[in-house]
Amino acid sequence: MKSIMFKNPLFTLMMMTLTALTFVSCDRDDEVVDLPFNEALVGTWDITSYVLDDDEWMGLILESAVITFEQPNGNSGIFSQEVTFADDEKVTISGRYVLDETEGRVTMYYEGEPIVADIVITGDKMLWDSTMDGYPLVLKAKKRK
């Protein structure tokens, strides 16, 4: 009886598949350690999506965009943003930012005007939700290593 089951090619194939799936499930997963908001924010972020009022600008109007948050002193630090437009014109702005860690909010000041962004950071990905000139602005970015 036992030898008949092992001689059956379908049974052997099913057993090999089950064994292979077992080995795959034992593979180590890379654990993502969530840093505190103020630590996770620091660094350079390459903006991969720039959606203003439901219109995607990245790849059409914007060629590339980068934002860098320097290490804060307390709850305040310096940010700089560089945007390259499709016609190769570059614009760089910088200013001070203030963190609200409990709300996941960053208020940036450029030429005296506040820019408030709700930011969610998961691993090396950022989701930014704010307004620009009264229109909703949603950014997606990936942290440089």
Side-chain angles (χ1 to χ4, degrees), residues 5-54:
M5 286 184 2
F6 287 116
K7 290 181 181 178
N8 184 343
L10 182 60
F11 177 77
T12 305
L13 180 63
M14 288 177 54
M15 289 303 291
M16 288 176 55
T17 304
L18 181 61
T19 303
L21 290 174
T22 303
F23 287 128
V24 170
S25 68
C26 293
D27 200 13
R28 290 184 71 180
D29 293 332
D30 292 335
E31 292 183 24
V32 176
V33 177
D34 287 332
L35 296 172
F37 184 69
N38 64 338
E39 291 178 30
L41 184 67
V42 172
T44 300
W45 297 86
D46 293 309
I47 297 171
T48 57
S49 175
Y50 189 105
V51 178
L52 180 63
D53 195 28
D54 293 328

Short mmCIF file of all heavy atoms in Angstrom, two decimals, residues 5-54:
data_model
loop_
_atom_site.label_atom_id
_atom_site.label_comp_id
_atom_site.label_asym_id
_atom_site.label_seq_id
_atom_site.Cartn_x
_atom_site.Cartn_y
_atom_site.Cartn_z
N MET A 5 1.55 4.40 -3.13
CA MET A 5 1.39 5.86 -3.04
C MET A 5 2.64 6.58 -3.52
O MET A 5 2.55 7.58 -4.20
CB MET A 5 1.07 6.26 -1.58
CG MET A 5 -0.34 5.89 -1.22
SD MET A 5 -0.94 6.40 0.42
CE MET A 5 0.31 7.28 1.18
N PHE A 6 3.81 6.08 -3.18
CA PHE A 6 5.05 6.74 -3.58
C PHE A 6 5.35 6.56 -5.07
O PHE A 6 6.07 7.33 -5.65
CB PHE A 6 6.22 6.25 -2.74
CG PHE A 6 6.17 6.79 -1.33
CD1 PHE A 6 6.01 5.94 -0.26
CD2 PHE A 6 6.27 8.15 -1.09
CE1 PHE A 6 5.95 6.42 1.03
CE2 PHE A 6 6.21 8.65 0.20
CZ PHE A 6 6.04 7.78 1.26
N LYS A 7 4.79 5.52 -5.68
CA LYS A 7 5.00 5.29 -7.11
C LYS A 7 4.05 6.11 -7.97
O LYS A 7 4.26 6.25 -9.16
CB LYS A 7 4.87 3.80 -7.43
CG LYS A 7 6.00 2.98 -6.88
CD LYS A 7 5.85 1.53 -7.23
CE LYS A 7 6.99 0.74 -6.62
NZ LYS A 7 6.87 -0.68 -6.88
N ASN A 8 3.02 6.68 -7.35
CA ASN A 8 2.05 7.49 -8.07
C ASN A 8 2.68 8.87 -8.35
O ASN A 8 3.02 9.60 -7.42
CB ASN A 8 0.78 7.64 -7.23
CG ASN A 8 -0.31 8.40 -7.95
OD1 ASN A 8 -0.06 9.10 -8.92
ND2 ASN A 8 -1.52 8.27 -7.46
N PRO A 9 2.86 9.27 -9.61
CA PRO A 9 3.52 10.54 -9.92
C PRO A 9 2.75 11.76 -9.41
O PRO A 9 3.35 12.74 -8.99
CB PRO A 9 3.59 10.57 -11.45
CG PRO A 9 3.08 9.27 -11.94
CD PRO A 9 2.53 8.51 -10.80
N LEU A 10 1.44 11.70 -9.38
CA LEU A 10 0.65 12.82 -8.87
C LEU A 10 0.89 13.02 -7.38
O LEU A 10 1.07 14.15 -6.91
CB LEU A 10 -0.84 12.58 -9.15
CG LEU A 10 -1.78 13.70 -8.71
CD1 LEU A 10 -1.44 15.00 -9.43
CD2 LEU A 10 -3.21 13.30 -8.96
N PHE A 11 0.93 11.92 -6.62
CA PHE A 11 1.19 12.01 -5.19
C PHE A 11 2.59 12.59 -4.94
O PHE A 11 2.78 13.46 -4.09
CB PHE A 11 1.05 10.62 -4.54
CG PHE A 11 1.37 10.64 -3.07
CD1 PHE A 11 0.45 11.14 -2.16
CD2 PHE A 11 2.58 10.16 -2.61
CE1 PHE A 11 0.74 11.16 -0.82
CE2 PHE A 11 2.88 10.19 -1.26
CZ PHE A 11 1.96 10.68 -0.36
N THR A 12 3.57 12.12 -5.67
CA THR A 12 4.95 12.60 -5.51
C THR A 12 5.03 14.09 -5.83
O THR A 12 5.67 14.86 -5.10
CB THR A 12 5.89 11.80 -6.43
OG1 THR A 12 5.74 10.41 -6.15
CG2 THR A 12 7.33 12.21 -6.22
N LEU A 13 4.38 14.53 -6.88
CA LEU A 13 4.38 15.94 -7.26
C LEU A 13 3.73 16.81 -6.18
O LEU A 13 4.24 17.87 -5.81
CB LEU A 13 3.66 16.13 -8.60
CG LEU A 13 3.58 17.55 -9.13
CD1 LEU A 13 4.97 18.10 -9.42
CD2 LEU A 13 2.72 17.60 -10.38
N MET A 14 2.62 16.33 -5.63
CA MET A 14 1.94 17.08 -4.58
C MET A 14 2.82 17.18 -3.33
O MET A 14 2.88 18.22 -2.68
CB MET A 14 0.58 16.43 -4.26
CG MET A 14 -0.44 16.65 -5.36
SD MET A 14 -2.03 15.85 -5.07
CE MET A 14 -2.48 16.44 -3.48
N MET A 15 3.49 16.10 -2.98
CA MET A 15 4.36 16.11 -1.80
C MET A 15 5.55 17.07 -2.01
O MET A 15 5.94 17.80 -1.09
CB MET A 15 4.87 14.70 -1.49
CG MET A 15 3.79 13.79 -0.95
SD MET A 15 3.01 14.42 0.55
CE MET A 15 4.32 14.26 1.71
N MET A 16 6.11 17.08 -3.21
CA MET A 16 7.23 17.99 -3.50
C MET A 16 6.76 19.44 -3.43
O MET A 16 7.46 20.30 -2.89
CB MET A 16 7.83 17.67 -4.87
CG MET A 16 8.61 16.38 -4.89
SD MET A 16 9.22 15.92 -6.52
CE MET A 16 10.12 17.35 -7.00
N THR A 17 5.58 19.72 -3.94
CA THR A 17 5.02 21.08 -3.90
C THR A 17 4.78 21.52 -2.46
O THR A 17 5.13 22.63 -2.07
CB THR A 17 3.71 21.15 -4.71
OG1 THR A 17 3.95 20.72 -6.03
CG2 THR A 17 3.15 22.56 -4.71
N LEU A 18 4.21 20.65 -1.66
CA LEU A 18 3.96 20.95 -0.26
C LEU A 18 5.27 21.21 0.48
O LEU A 18 5.38 22.16 1.27
CB LEU A 18 3.19 19.81 0.40
CG LEU A 18 2.83 20.00 1.87
CD1 LEU A 18 1.94 21.23 2.04
CD2 LEU A 18 2.14 18.77 2.43
N THR A 19 6.28 20.41 0.22
CA THR A 19 7.58 20.59 0.85
C THR A 19 8.20 21.92 0.43
O THR A 19 8.74 22.66 1.25
CB THR A 19 8.53 19.43 0.47
OG1 THR A 19 7.90 18.21 0.86
CG2 THR A 19 9.86 19.56 1.17
N ALA A 20 8.12 22.25 -0.85
CA ALA A 20 8.68 23.52 -1.34
C ALA A 20 7.97 24.71 -0.70
O ALA A 20 8.62 25.69 -0.32
CB ALA A 20 8.58 23.60 -2.86
N LEU A 21 6.66 24.66 -0.58
CA LEU A 21 5.91 25.75 0.06
C LEU A 21 6.29 25.90 1.52
O LEU A 21 6.33 27.00 2.06
CB LEU A 21 4.41 25.53 -0.09
CG LEU A 21 3.85 25.69 -1.49
CD1 LEU A 21 2.38 25.31 -1.53
CD2 LEU A 21 4.05 27.11 -1.99
N THR A 22 6.56 24.80 2.18
CA THR A 22 6.96 24.85 3.59
C THR A 22 8.28 25.58 3.74
O THR A 22 8.46 26.40 4.63
CB THR A 22 7.06 23.42 4.16
OG1 THR A 22 5.83 22.76 3.98
CG2 THR A 22 7.43 23.45 5.64
N PHE A 23 9.23 25.30 2.85
CA PHE A 23 10.53 25.97 2.93
C PHE A 23 10.40 27.47 2.65
O PHE A 23 11.05 28.28 3.28
CB PHE A 23 11.53 25.35 1.96
CG PHE A 23 12.02 24.00 2.41
CD1 PHE A 23 11.98 22.91 1.56
CD2 PHE A 23 12.52 23.82 3.70
CE1 PHE A 23 12.43 21.68 1.98
CE2 PHE A 23 12.98 22.57 4.12
CZ PHE A 23 12.93 21.50 3.25
N VAL A 24 9.55 27.84 1.72
CA VAL A 24 9.35 29.25 1.41
C VAL A 24 8.74 29.97 2.59
O VAL A 24 9.11 31.10 2.92
CB VAL A 24 8.46 29.41 0.15
CG1 VAL A 24 8.05 30.86 -0.05
CG2 VAL A 24 9.19 28.89 -1.07
N SER A 25 7.81 29.35 3.28
CA SER A 25 7.17 30.01 4.41
C SER A 25 8.12 30.19 5.58
O SER A 25 7.88 31.01 6.46
CB SER A 25 5.93 29.24 4.85
OG SER A 25 6.30 27.99 5.41
N CYS A 26 9.19 29.46 5.62
CA CYS A 26 10.16 29.61 6.70
C CYS A 26 11.19 30.69 6.40
O CYS A 26 12.04 30.99 7.22
CB CYS A 26 10.89 28.29 6.94
SG CYS A 26 9.82 27.00 7.60
N ASP A 27 11.15 31.24 5.21
CA ASP A 27 12.09 32.28 4.81
C ASP A 27 11.95 33.48 5.75
O ASP A 27 10.85 33.89 6.10
CB ASP A 27 11.80 32.70 3.37
CG ASP A 27 12.97 33.38 2.73
OD1 ASP A 27 14.07 33.32 3.28
OD2 ASP A 27 12.76 33.96 1.63
N ARG A 28 13.08 34.08 6.14
CA ARG A 28 13.05 35.21 7.06
C ARG A 28 12.51 36.44 6.35
O ARG A 28 12.92 36.80 5.27
CB ARG A 28 14.46 35.52 7.57
CG ARG A 28 14.98 34.45 8.50
CD ARG A 28 16.29 34.82 9.04
NE ARG A 28 16.10 35.92 9.98
CZ ARG A 28 17.08 36.49 10.64
NH1 ARG A 28 18.31 36.09 10.48
NH2 ARG A 28 16.85 37.47 11.47
N ASP A 29 11.57 37.08 6.99
CA ASP A 29 11.02 38.32 6.48
C ASP A 29 11.85 39.47 7.00
O ASP A 29 12.30 39.46 8.15
CB ASP A 29 9.57 38.52 6.93
CG ASP A 29 8.64 37.49 6.32
OD1 ASP A 29 8.95 37.02 5.21
OD2 ASP A 29 7.62 37.17 6.94
N ASP A 30 12.08 40.49 6.15
CA ASP A 30 12.76 41.69 6.62
C ASP A 30 11.79 42.46 7.49
O ASP A 30 10.73 42.88 7.03
CB ASP A 30 13.21 42.56 5.44
CG ASP A 30 14.31 41.89 4.63
OD1 ASP A 30 15.02 41.05 5.22
OD2 ASP A 30 14.44 42.20 3.44
N GLU A 31 12.17 42.64 8.73
CA GLU A 31 11.31 43.37 9.64
C GLU A 31 11.55 44.86 9.48
O GLU A 31 12.67 45.31 9.41
CB GLU A 31 11.59 42.97 11.09
CG GLU A 31 11.18 41.55 11.39
CD GLU A 31 11.39 41.19 12.84
OE1 GLU A 31 11.42 42.10 13.69
OE2 GLU A 31 11.53 40.00 13.12
N VAL A 32 10.46 45.61 9.39
CA VAL A 32 10.54 47.06 9.29
C VAL A 32 10.35 47.62 10.70
O VAL A 32 9.32 47.40 11.32
CB VAL A 32 9.45 47.63 8.35
CG1 VAL A 32 9.48 49.14 8.34
CG2 VAL A 32 9.64 47.07 6.95
N VAL A 33 11.38 48.28 11.18
CA VAL A 33 11.31 48.88 12.50
C VAL A 33 10.88 50.33 12.32
O VAL A 33 11.54 51.10 11.64
CB VAL A 33 12.68 48.81 13.22
CG1 VAL A 33 12.61 49.50 14.56
CG2 VAL A 33 13.12 47.36 13.36
N ASP A 34 9.75 50.67 12.92
CA ASP A 34 9.26 52.04 12.82
C ASP A 34 10.00 52.92 13.81
O ASP A 34 9.94 52.69 15.02
CB ASP A 34 7.75 52.10 13.07
CG ASP A 34 6.95 51.53 11.91
OD1 ASP A 34 7.45 51.58 10.78
OD2 ASP A 34 5.83 51.05 12.15
N LEU A 35 10.70 53.91 13.28
CA LEU A 35 11.42 54.86 14.12
C LEU A 35 10.45 55.91 14.63
O LEU A 35 9.38 56.12 14.05
CB LEU A 35 12.50 55.56 13.29
CG LEU A 35 13.63 54.68 12.75
CD1 LEU A 35 14.49 55.49 11.79
CD2 LEU A 35 14.46 54.13 13.88
N PRO A 36 10.82 56.60 15.71
CA PRO A 36 10.00 57.74 16.12
C PRO A 36 9.91 58.74 14.96
O PRO A 36 10.83 58.86 14.15
CB PRO A 36 10.77 58.33 17.30
CG PRO A 36 11.64 57.23 17.79
CD PRO A 36 11.94 56.37 16.60
N PHE A 37 8.81 59.47 14.90
CA PHE A 37 8.53 60.37 13.78
C PHE A 37 9.69 61.33 13.51
O PHE A 37 10.10 61.51 12.36
CB PHE A 37 7.24 61.14 14.05
CG PHE A 37 6.82 62.02 12.91
CD1 PHE A 37 6.38 61.47 11.72
CD2 PHE A 37 6.88 63.40 13.03
CE1 PHE A 37 5.98 62.27 10.67
CE2 PHE A 37 6.49 64.21 11.98
CZ PHE A 37 6.04 63.65 10.80
N ASN A 38 10.24 61.95 14.57
CA ASN A 38 11.30 62.93 14.36
C ASN A 38 12.56 62.30 13.77
O ASN A 38 13.28 62.94 13.00
CB ASN A 38 11.62 63.69 15.65
CG ASN A 38 12.18 62.80 16.73
OD1 ASN A 38 11.98 61.59 16.72
ND2 ASN A 38 12.87 63.40 17.68
N GLU A 39 12.84 61.04 14.08
CA GLU A 39 14.00 60.36 13.51
C GLU A 39 13.73 59.88 12.09
O GLU A 39 14.60 59.92 11.23
CB GLU A 39 14.42 59.18 14.39
CG GLU A 39 14.98 59.59 15.74
CD GLU A 39 15.32 58.38 16.59
OE1 GLU A 39 15.66 57.31 16.03
OE2 GLU A 39 15.24 58.50 17.83
N ALA A 40 12.53 59.38 11.86
CA ALA A 40 12.17 58.85 10.54
C ALA A 40 12.13 59.96 9.49
O ALA A 40 12.44 59.73 8.32
CB ALA A 40 10.83 58.14 10.60
N LEU A 41 11.78 61.17 9.89
CA LEU A 41 11.64 62.28 8.95
C LEU A 41 12.99 62.78 8.42
O LEU A 41 13.10 63.17 7.27
CB LEU A 41 10.90 63.45 9.63
CG LEU A 41 10.60 64.66 8.76
CD1 LEU A 41 9.59 64.29 7.68
CD2 LEU A 41 10.09 65.80 9.61
N VAL A 42 14.02 62.72 9.26
CA VAL A 42 15.32 63.27 8.90
C VAL A 42 15.92 62.51 7.73
O VAL A 42 15.93 61.28 7.70
CB VAL A 42 16.28 63.21 10.12
CG1 VAL A 42 17.70 63.60 9.72
CG2 VAL A 42 15.77 64.10 11.23
N GLY A 43 16.40 63.26 6.74
CA GLY A 43 17.04 62.68 5.58
C GLY A 43 16.52 63.29 4.29
O GLY A 43 15.78 64.27 4.30
N THR A 44 16.94 62.71 3.20
CA THR A 44 16.55 63.18 1.87
C THR A 44 15.51 62.24 1.28
O THR A 44 15.68 61.03 1.28
CB THR A 44 17.77 63.27 0.96
OG1 THR A 44 18.72 64.18 1.54
CG2 THR A 44 17.41 63.76 -0.43
N TRP A 45 14.44 62.84 0.79
CA TRP A 45 13.31 62.10 0.23
C TRP A 45 13.14 62.45 -1.25
O TRP A 45 13.02 63.61 -1.60
CB TRP A 45 12.03 62.47 0.98
CG TRP A 45 12.05 62.09 2.42
CD1 TRP A 45 12.55 62.82 3.46
CD2 TRP A 45 11.55 60.89 2.98
NE1 TRP A 45 12.39 62.14 4.63
CE2 TRP A 45 11.77 60.95 4.37
CE3 TRP A 45 10.91 59.76 2.45
CZ2 TRP A 45 11.40 59.93 5.23
CZ3 TRP A 45 10.54 58.75 3.31
CH2 TRP A 45 10.78 58.83 4.68
N ASP A 46 13.16 61.43 -2.10
CA ASP A 46 12.90 61.61 -3.52
C ASP A 46 11.39 61.50 -3.74
O ASP A 46 10.79 60.46 -3.44
CB ASP A 46 13.62 60.54 -4.35
CG ASP A 46 15.12 60.69 -4.29
OD1 ASP A 46 15.61 61.81 -4.54
OD2 ASP A 46 15.81 59.70 -3.97
N ILE A 47 10.81 62.55 -4.26
CA ILE A 47 9.36 62.58 -4.47
C ILE A 47 9.04 61.79 -5.74
O ILE A 47 9.55 62.09 -6.82
CB ILE A 47 8.85 64.03 -4.53
CG1 ILE A 47 9.13 64.71 -3.19
CG2 ILE A 47 7.37 64.07 -4.88
CD1 ILE A 47 8.87 66.19 -3.15
N THR A 48 8.20 60.79 -5.59
CA THR A 48 7.85 59.91 -6.72
C THR A 48 6.49 60.23 -7.31
O THR A 48 6.20 59.85 -8.43
CB THR A 48 7.86 58.43 -6.27
OG1 THR A 48 6.96 58.27 -5.17
CG2 THR A 48 9.26 58.01 -5.84
N SER A 49 5.65 60.93 -6.54
CA SER A 49 4.34 61.32 -7.02
C SER A 49 3.99 62.68 -6.42
O SER A 49 4.18 62.90 -5.23
CB SER A 49 3.28 60.28 -6.62
OG SER A 49 1.99 60.71 -6.99
N TYR A 50 3.48 63.58 -7.26
CA TYR A 50 3.12 64.94 -6.86
C TYR A 50 1.75 65.21 -7.46
O TYR A 50 1.64 65.53 -8.63
CB TYR A 50 4.17 65.92 -7.39
CG TYR A 50 4.06 67.34 -6.89
CD1 TYR A 50 4.95 67.82 -5.95
CD2 TYR A 50 3.09 68.20 -7.37
CE1 TYR A 50 4.89 69.13 -5.50
CE2 TYR A 50 3.00 69.51 -6.93
CZ TYR A 50 3.91 69.97 -6.00
OH TYR A 50 3.84 71.27 -5.54
N VAL A 51 0.71 65.02 -6.65
CA VAL A 51 -0.66 65.15 -7.14
C VAL A 51 -1.28 66.41 -6.53
O VAL A 51 -1.51 66.49 -5.33
CB VAL A 51 -1.51 63.91 -6.79
CG1 VAL A 51 -2.94 64.09 -7.26
CG2 VAL A 51 -0.90 62.66 -7.38
N LEU A 52 -1.52 67.40 -7.38
CA LEU A 52 -2.14 68.65 -6.97
C LEU A 52 -3.53 68.73 -7.58
O LEU A 52 -3.67 68.67 -8.81
CB LEU A 52 -1.28 69.85 -7.42
CG LEU A 52 -1.82 71.23 -7.05
CD1 LEU A 52 -1.89 71.40 -5.54
CD2 LEU A 52 -0.95 72.32 -7.67
N ASP A 53 -4.54 68.82 -6.73
CA ASP A 53 -5.94 68.90 -7.17
C ASP A 53 -6.27 67.76 -8.14
O ASP A 53 -6.84 67.97 -9.21
CB ASP A 53 -6.23 70.26 -7.79
CG ASP A 53 -7.72 70.52 -7.93
OD1 ASP A 53 -8.51 69.96 -7.14
OD2 ASP A 53 -8.10 71.27 -8.84
N ASP A 54 -5.88 66.54 -7.77
CA ASP A 54 -6.14 65.32 -8.54
C ASP A 54 -5.41 65.24 -9.88
O ASP A 54 -5.75 64.40 -10.72
CB ASP A 54 -7.64 65.09 -8.75
CG ASP A 54 -8.37 64.79 -7.46
OD1 ASP A 54 -7.76 64.17 -6.57
OD2 ASP A 54 -9.55 65.19 -7.33
#
